[in-house]
Amino acid sequence: MDRIVIANDLTKIFNKYKTNQLIAINKISIEIKEGDFICIMGKSGSGKTTLLNILSTIDDYDSGNLKILGYDINNISEKEKAKLRETIIGYIFQDYNLLDSLTIEDNICFSSIVNKDVADRKSLYDILKKLHIMDIRDKYPYECSGGQRQRAAIARALLQKPKILFADEPTGNLDSKNTIQLMKQLISLNKKGITIVMVTHDCKIASYSNNVYFINDGKIVKKLEKNNNVNNEFYKNIVDYNFRYMEANYEK
Ligand code: ADP
Ligand code: MG
């Protein structure tokens, strides 16, 4: 399998020249193969969103190297990065990132509107139906619930048909029915070869992936692999590690 993401010693420092400097990502190296389904877990503030933002080219890093699908991110322009995010890199944001001046449908089709393409209606309605948001497509984001907005953000990323999809706690606001529906969608995309990198707090959801990385204080502290384990066994390992290590650290 080809390596779709190669990251070496990525480091991100916030407030670099201030007294409240924070090393949010501390020399993280990670390799992601095409077709992988990876989950990132860790307590709040451990650097999950920052890592996802860097790996998806949304955010810069201070040092290290990053290659995505052969593109050397150190050496490409902002314009080229934006092109990658429009085409091969998909992102489901933790805070949805929907525009309040556009309807849900126009938000979902935003990229094709900007690029004057015609959105693929059949795929669009298929996705809207599967995510149970067909009936809100003419509403504005502020008229929708958190869960509906989350599903709209998911639909926008799915419509783009990216090669690699980053998702930041995409089930955070979903009820169990919509969580199952989303996981079915993600598993089916992954079976079609789309690489998925997802942040989650939910051990059950993480057990659908192949590898779980735990991060703490901006470092990868553990990698759990599914290997030939069945979901149940992998789930037990994740819960066990989460409990033993992460829970112990929650108090600090
Ligand atoms: P997580 O997603 O795991 O909850 P984040 O990646 O959002 O964590 O944040 C990691 C750390 O970096 C936290 O301490 C957070 O307060 C800090 N941080 C995140 N974004 C910024 C920013 N733009 N400026 C300064 N500090 C930030
Ligand atoms: Mg976060």
Side-chain angles (χ1 to χ4, degrees):
M1 266 201 296
D2 280 345
R3 291 175 299 173
I4 197 165
V5 175
I6 307 173
N8 280 308
D9 285 338
L10 289 178
T11 298
K12 172 80 180 176
I13 305 171
F14 286 118
N15 304 323
K16 207 169 179 182
Y17 303 107
K18 296 186 185 160
T19 48
N20 57 345
Q21 190 189 78
L22 175 79
I23 305 176
I25 297 296
N26 195 348
K27 293 197 170 176
I28 284 192
S29 298
I30 186 170
E31 286 193 355
I32 301 170
K33 295 194 191 80
E34 196 170 0
D36 266 352
F37 186 164
I38 281 176
C39 274
I40 298 170
M41 299 187 83
K43 65 181 176 180
S44 180
S46 57
K48 304 179 299 294
T49 296
T50 308
L51 179 63
L52 225 56
N53 286 348
I54 292 173
L55 294 179
S56 60
T57 81
I58 288 172
D59 211 350
D60 284 334
Y61 42 95
D62 291 277
S63 57
N65 295 298
L66 177 61
K67 273 194 181 166
I68 300 172
L69 279 150
Y71 293 90
D72 183 350
I73 305 304
N74 287 11
N75 291 316
I76 68 171
S77 66
E78 285 306 318
K79 204 172 159 189
E80 285 170 298
K81 285 186 213 169
K83 190 78 203 159
L84 291 182
R85 291 194 299 271
E86 253 172 47
T87 51
I88 56 179
I89 300 174
Y91 201 107
I92 300 171
F93 293 89
Q94 189 167 18
D95 55 5
Y96 322 133
N97 238 6
L98 300 171
L99 295 169
D100 260 341
S101 55
L102 296 180
T103 63
I104 292 293
E105 179 166 333
D106 285 349
N107 262 292
I108 293 170
C109 301
F110 185 68
S111 171
S112 33
I113 293 170
V114 171
N115 293 306
K116 301 193 170 55
D117 303 336
V118 181
D120 173 354
R121 292 283 136 180
K122 191 183 167 307
S123 300
L124 172 68
Y125 290 144
D126 204 35
I127 291 167
L128 291 179
K129 269 186 217 149
K130 282 194 178 135
L131 293 172
H132 307 117
I133 46 173
M134 197 66 173
D135 54 331
I136 58 152
R137 63 187 195 274
D138 294 325
K139 286 192 175 184
Y140 289 87
Y142 55 83
E143 298 174 312
C144 299
S145 71
Q148 288 171 328
R149 278 182 275 154
Q150 186 154 41
R151 280 174 279 150
I154 293 162
R156 179 179 54 192
L158 299 185
L159 187 67
Q160 183 198 339
K161 301 199 179 78
K163 279 196 190 306
I164 178 162
L165 177 63
F166 294 92
D168 197 356
E169 300 191 36
T171 61
N173 252 313
L174 301 185
D175 58 25
S176 57
K177 187 174 129 204
N178 282 307
T179 297
I180 291 167
Q181 192 56 48
L182 172 65
M183 289 316 294
K184 277 187 184 163
Q185 290 265 94
L186 292 182
I187 290 162
S188 133
L189 284 178
N190 184 240
K191 282 195 174 135
K192 288 179 193 154
I194 292 170
T195 308
I196 296 175
V197 183
M198 182 168 85
V199 170
T200 183
H201 283 298
D202 186 323
C203 296
K204 188 77 204 165
I205 285 174
S207 71
Y208 288 103
S209 70
N210 315 116
N211 298 316
V212 179
Y213 290 87
F214 286 88
I215 75 170
N216 199 24
D217 289 338
K219 288 193 182 127
I220 293 175
V221 291
K222 181 80 178 171
K223 178 184 179 187
L224 293 177
E225 293 181 61
K226 183 179 270 172
N227 295 326
N228 296 323
N229 287 348
V230 283
N231 270 9
N232 261 348
E233 212 169 306
F234 191 41
Y235 172 62
K236 264 168 54 189
N237 293 342
I238 298 166
V239 171
D240 192 43
Y241 187 78
N242 201 42
F243 186 75
R244 273 192 298 119
Y245 185 84
M246 298 312 288
E247 292 279 327
N249 277 289
Y250 281 134
E251 305 306 322
K252 284 187 183 164

